[in-house]
Amino acid sequence: MLLINSQPQLLLQLQAQPPQLFSLNSRRRRRRTTRNRVKCYGGGDEVDTFSKKSGYVFKLTATESESLKDYDINKIGNLYVKKKPFILLRRLFQTATTLGYWFGMRFLDHVMDRSDFMFQVRAAELRKILTQLGPAYIKIAQAVSSRPDLIPPSYLDELSLLQDQIAPFSTQVAFNTIEQELGLPLDELFSEISLEPVAAASLGQVYKAKLRRTGQVVAVKVQRPGVQAAISLDMFILRNLAGIVKRAGKLNTDLQAVIDEWASSLFREMDYIKEANNGVKFRQLYGKLQDVVVPEMYLECTTRRVLVMEWVEGQRLADVKDIYLVEVGVYCSFNQLLEYGFYHADPHPGNLLRTNDGKLAYLDFGMMGEFKQELRDGFIEACLHLVNRDFDALAEDFVTLGFLPPTADKEAVTKALTGVFQSAVSKGVRNISFSDLLGNLGVTMYKFKFQVPSYFFLVIRSLAVLEGIAIGINPNYKVLGSTYPWIARKVLTDSSPKLKASLQSLLYKDGVFRIDRLESLLTESLRARTEKPLVEKQTEDSDSRVVIKQILTFTFTEKGAFVREMLLQELAKGLDSLGVAAFDRITSTTNVGLPFAPPNASSSMTEEDITNLRTLRQLLSLLSQTNGHESTEVTGITTYQNQNTLSEEGSLVNQVVLFQEILPLLAIIPELPPETQQQLLGLPADLARRLFSRATARTLRRLFL
């Protein structure tokens, strides 16, 4: 984590500099002198209360430290239960008494009717208590402090300080750690380094420096002493507490698995070599996205406890009210979660900066998550089915994602989900928030034994934190509403067989093409834009010519091939049915003047033909951006209801052949890109082949069936 404040930083120069900066050459005597002077300044005005109050858990032998290198609950249990039981008991006592005191005072405030008066005081006390208890508890507070819609302002202000303004530990200890880890004196590594940390967080603190070898300005992150021991012990305590809560509350979710998932991510975060490698991968995947900045990692200067990375100047995203960069963050999160599955699991405000040139910088790559392909596809399908109110399919998605066992009563679950989500979805996809979706889900989850998969907590935390930052800028902002256009575009363009099958299933119900769903997907996908002027304008393009051009251009690209094939198939079916309807009209008109014409001429139109005509009408309306696609529902048609059928088909034929509605489509063709025009030139021949095939099949059916 790295926060660059607007105040100039005091630099400790290791070369000849003005008197206010310290000079260090390679001579030991001068290094000792400066190091002693550094000690006077390191740590700032605040006391490192974590070391002061919880320092008794720090002391581990080299063997014990090595055993805690990776998260292994059995090794942690053996260490503290068998070898250090008094440390375990003391930590339990400390945690229970400090948190118990705070909750007790809150209860007393309530009883004495002074809660409002003491709100600010209790908020400050809670921050200090969490700081004393250390990183595990601070991490919980960081996640909570990113939701201004859920946390009172007083608590939000206090807990936000835990993101990057925790009291630092001694600079002398930090400099000693750098030299021990990198195996070189400070003056051989850097030509300049800040006298005090520019930011301090739960796991480490950051110094600004300049590499002696290249002159590159870098951030040097140094791990806090004792964090590995403290987190190991706290995870052991929290995991056992989670087991007690699960049994007492008869919960379906495996809370211990959730703690294990979180603990594993924390242990990975404490290994700065892994963080540097994560940063390299993140930069490769997302560093080229528009207006996204990912700092370079210096692997040769990185160890488990010291990390050197490119320095980034900027301000916290939450402090600058830049809605465009929030949209950039949403698009980047979409790529992380649903394109590549490698995502930043700790995007709290201290880790997101607005750079001086107006770009979004990601920092701190210790806590990352992996979202497997089958889960990514399942998540996309769930979003599609939720927005389109297909609750039957949504129940199946919950099984795929691991929320429900395969043996669950799908019919009952569908009814329950309909009751829970109906009101939230009725507001429209652009107005759906996480709180709307989760509001009434608790009872349903308990009744049907929902189990929240451990992976899901990191995913939802990543999205919820981003929405929290956005709400601080715009209270009406909805991350799901901003993410859905990218989901719609991915479903329409992805080559994955599973997503193609999902799209096919979504657009066809009982063999009938759902043009309304295609229109919704196309409309939403056109909102998936990251150009700054378009995002900042926050208005929808009302120019129908532009919309027509966008739809046609997309349809005739390589990515739109699957949608184009469906549209051509439906156009061919509609034109074929239009031909049959036209033939029937000519025949019925001719028969009226014949003296021996039968009183009720039988129509050759079928229910399928009527449906195809209606779809054709809606397709032409969609492509020409007219409002006439809301045609009358066709119900109760049979081949024996000759007059009704003829009346219905006549009405539809009249609607379809309105030439003035096709004129906008024809007029826009010269404005299309040359490659799209070239594709359109081959369209009549393609449609003719399809029509000939359908006409031949229809004739053969009538002859032999």
Side-chain angles (χ1 to χ4, degrees):
M1 355 33 11
L2 173 59
L3 171 64
I4 312 305
N5 297 316
S6 58
Q7 298 296 324
Q9 305 300 327
L10 179 61
L11 295 184
L12 170 63
Q13 292 245 352
L14 306 183
Q15 295 176 337
Q17 289 293 331
Q20 69 269 25
L21 298 180
F22 299 103
S23 174
L24 266 184
N25 295 314
S26 58
R27 296 180 182 177
R28 294 181 183 177
R29 180 181 59 81
R30 301 188 68 184
R31 272 206 307 274
R32 282 199 303 270
T33 302
T34 306
R35 192 176 292 142
N36 289 334
R37 298 182 70 178
V38 167
K39 182 177 180 180
C40 299
Y41 289 90
D45 297 330
E46 292 189 74
V47 178
D48 179 14
T49 55
F50 172 54
S51 298
K52 182 178 180 181
K53 298 291 186 178
S54 301
Y56 63 91
V57 304
F58 293 2
K59 296 178 181 179
L60 296 175
T61 66
T63 304
E64 290 170 344
S65 296
E66 187 64 24
S67 70
L68 300 180
K69 183 178 178 181
D70 298 307
Y71 178 66
D72 186 329
I73 196 63
N74 294 322
K75 290 182 178 180
I76 296 173
N78 288 334
L79 175 62
Y80 286 105
V81 174
K82 295 181 179 179
K83 297 181 180 180
K84 296 178 178 289
F86 293 109
I87 297 293
L88 173 59
L89 291 173
R90 183 176 175 182
R91 186 63 168 176
L92 280 169
F93 179 78
Q94 179 192 9
T95 305
T97 53
T98 51
L99 291 176
Y101 166 80
W102 185 84
F103 280 110
M105 295 305 295
R106 284 285 293 139
F107 177 75
L108 187 61
D109 292 340
H110 176 72
V111 171
M112 299 179 66
D113 197 23
R114 62 181 189 184
S115 296
D116 294 340
F117 177 73
M118 297 297 293
F119 222 62
Q120 183 68 45
V121 175
R122 300 300 176 222
E125 287 178 351
L126 179 60
R127 176 180 63 84
K128 292 177 181 178
I129 287 172
L130 295 175
T131 303
Q132 293 172 13
L133 292 177
Y137 298 92
I138 291 173
K139 286 290 183 183
I140 297 173
Q142 285 176 347
V144 173
S145 67
S146 301
R147 297 297 311 211
D149 54 331
L150 303 177
I151 303 299
S154 297
Y155 282 85
L156 187 67
D157 293 341
E158 289 292 336
L159 296 183
S160 295
L161 297 176
L162 298 176
Q163 291 168 358
D164 44 40
Q165 298 181 44
I166 299 172
F169 62 93
S170 165
T171 290
Q172 183 180 17
V173 172
F175 285 178
N176 287 340
T177 301
I178 293 172
E179 292 187 335
Q180 290 169 7
E181 289 288 315
L182 298 181
L184 289 172
L186 211 60
D187 62 325
E188 293 185 22
L189 294 167
F190 309 110
S191 57
E192 297 177 5
I193 191 166
S194 58
L195 179 61
E196 296 183 6
V198 296
S202 56
L203 298 185
Q205 59 195 40
V206 177
Y207 295 86
K208 184 177 182 180
K210 182 180 288 187
L211 291 175
R212 178 173 291 280
R213 181 170 52 86
T214 64
Q216 178 68 42
V217 179
V218 295
V220 183
K221 184 160 75 169
V222 187
Q223 191 171 108
R224 283 182 179 273
V227 292
Q228 189 177 44
I231 288 178
S232 300
L233 182 54
D234 288 335
M235 288 298 106
F236 180 75
I237 293 172
L238 290 173
R239 189 180 188 278
N240 283 279
L241 181 62
I244 295 172
V245 171
K246 183 179 186 300
R247 289 191 295 272
K250 298 180 180 179
L251 303 178
N252 300 312
T253 299
D254 188 349
L255 294 180
Q256 290 186 317
V258 173
I259 295 293
D260 288 338
E261 180 78 15
W262 180 44
S264 296
S265 67
L266 278 178
F267 270 71
R268 291 193 295 270
E269 191 174 1
M270 286 187 290
D271 186 344
Y272 287 173
I273 295 176
K274 290 180 180 178
E275 178 176 347
N277 288 325
N278 288 338
V280 170
K281 183 176 180 180
F282 197 89
R283 180 183 172 92
Q284 291 172 344
L285 292 176
Y286 315 117
K288 295 181 181 179
L289 295 180
Q290 180 176 324
D291 289 330
V292 172
V293 174
V294 183
E296 182 182 356
M297 301 291 150
Y298 293 88
L299 297 177
E300 68 278 8
C301 299
T302 297
T303 68
R304 283 182 59 87
R305 298 179 61 205
V306 174
L307 170 65
V308 179
M309 59 187 284
E310 178 186 356
W311 179 263
V312 179
E313 293 277 357
Q315 296 172 277
R316 297 197 325 167
L317 178 60
D319 295 338
V320 293
K321 311 295 184 184
D322 192 331
I323 196 65
Y324 166 67
L325 288 187
V326 171
E327 293 287 353
V328 172
V330 168
Y331 176 59
C332 189
S333 293
F334 163 79
N335 277 273
Q336 293 172 47
L337 288 169
L338 301 180
E339 286 287 351
Y340 299 101
F342 182 70
Y343 64 95
H344 198 302
D346 192 25
H348 66 71
N351 292 336
L352 296 173
L353 297 185
R354 182 191 185 276
T355 64
N356 292 341
D357 56 352
K359 297 182 179 181
L360 177 64
Y362 281 82
L363 306 172
D364 194 349
F365 306 100
M367 188 179 290
M368 309 296 290
E370 295 277 356
F371 207 21
K372 296 179 181 178
Q373 182 67 55
E374 60 269 22
L375 296 176
R376 302 204 300 267
D377 291 343
F379 189 82
I380 290 172
E381 289 175 323
C383 289
L384 285 175
H385 296 145
L386 173 66
V387 170
N388 289 280
R389 309 183 196 188
D390 191 347
F391 297 114
D392 289 311
L394 185 60
E396 293 289 345
D397 296 332
F398 278 15
V399 174
T400 302
L401 292 171
F403 288 90
L404 281 172
T407 56
D409 185 347
K410 308 295 193 310
E411 185 176 347
V413 171
T414 299
K415 290 181 181 178
L417 292 177
T418 303
V420 170
F421 291 138
Q422 189 72 45
S423 59
V425 178
S426 64
K427 301 176 183 178
V429 63
R430 303 181 195 186
N431 296 307
I432 299 175
S433 68
F434 287 117
S435 57
D436 290 333
L437 297 179
L438 299 176
N440 299 317
L441 193 57
V443 175
T444 303
M445 292 180 69
Y446 185 82
K447 179 179 179 181
F448 293 100
K449 301 187 184 303
F450 274 57
Q451 45 191 339
V452 181
S454 56
Y455 74 84
F456 189 72
F457 280 92
L458 288 181
V459 172
I460 205 68
R461 180 180 186 272
S462 177
L463 291 175
V465 167
L466 187 60
E467 185 173 73
I469 296 173
I471 288 172
I473 300 173
N474 176 7
N476 297 318
Y477 192 87
K478 304 292 186 292
V479 163
L480 183 57
S482 294
T483 305
Y484 187 70
W486 299 106
I487 294 176
R489 175 172 289 190
K490 181 173 177 62
V491 171
L492 290 171
T493 60
D494 200 276
S495 59
S496 161
K498 183 173 177 59
L499 288 186
K500 283 185 177 180
S502 298
L503 179 60
Q504 188 92 16
S505 175
L506 182 72
L507 297 182
Y508 285 91
K509 185 174 183 179
D510 300 326
V512 178
F513 187 62
R514 298 291 302 271
I515 183 66
D516 57 324
R517 291 186 171 182
L518 176 63
E519 181 178 8
S520 173
L521 284 172
L522 285 171
T523 302
E524 288 297 325
S525 70
L526 294 179
R527 291 202 301 123
R529 302 177 296 192
T530 56
E531 293 85 350
K532 188 168 186 177
L534 296 176
V535 172
E536 290 182 335
K537 190 168 60 173
Q538 290 292 307
T539 57
E540 293 185 23
D541 199 334
S542 58
D543 188 350
S544 61
R545 294 174 67 86
V546 174
V547 176
I548 296 171
K549 285 170 62 177
Q550 290 175 329
I551 292 175
L552 288 177
T553 302
F554 160 74
T555 305
F556 286 96
T557 60
E558 183 179 349
K559 289 186 175 181
F562 188 66
V563 174
R564 180 172 70 247
E565 180 63 27
M566 284 193 291
L567 289 177
L568 288 176
Q569 178 181 327
E570 294 302 321
L571 280 172
K573 287 161 64 175
L575 291 173
D576 177 45
S577 297
L578 180 62
V580 174
F583 179 77
D584 279 357
R585 289 191 67 185
I586 293 171
T587 303
S588 63
T589 303
T590 304
N591 287 342
V592 170
L594 297 177
F596 304 105
N600 293 315
S602 176
S603 171
S604 57
M605 293 285 289
T606 65
E607 289 187 39
E608 181 184 354
D609 289 321
I610 296 294
T611 301
N612 291 341
L613 276 178
R614 184 175 60 190
T615 300
L616 177 62
R617 164 67 176 166
Q618 293 172 322
L619 273 175
L620 291 177
S621 297
L622 170 64
L623 294 175
S624 60
Q625 286 296 293
T626 62
N627 296 321
H629 59 270
E630 296 178 0
S631 57
T632 305
E633 290 291 332
V634 183
T635 58
I637 301 173
T638 69
T639 55
Y640 300 104
Q641 294 174 304
N642 300 318
Q643 297 302 322
N644 288 341
T645 303
L646 289 172
S647 174
E648 182 71 33
E649 71 180 65
S651 173
L652 286 170
V653 169
N654 286 334
Q655 289 178 353
V656 168
V657 297
L658 290 176
F659 189 69
Q660 64 266 27
E661 293 186 2
I662 307 177
L663 282 177
L665 186 61
L666 299 176
I668 212 74
I669 292 177
E671 301 177 19
L672 295 173
E675 57 272 18
T676 303
Q677 295 185 35
Q678 193 67 31
Q679 290 267 12
L680 280 169
L681 289 177
L683 184 60
D686 192 356
L687 278 174
R689 285 193 297 271
R690 293 170 188 266
L691 284 171
F692 179 76
S693 176
R694 289 189 61 82
T696 303
R698 183 190 291 271
T699 303
L700 292 176
R701 282 199 305 271
R702 290 182 175 177
L703 288 175
F704 298 105
L705 297 179

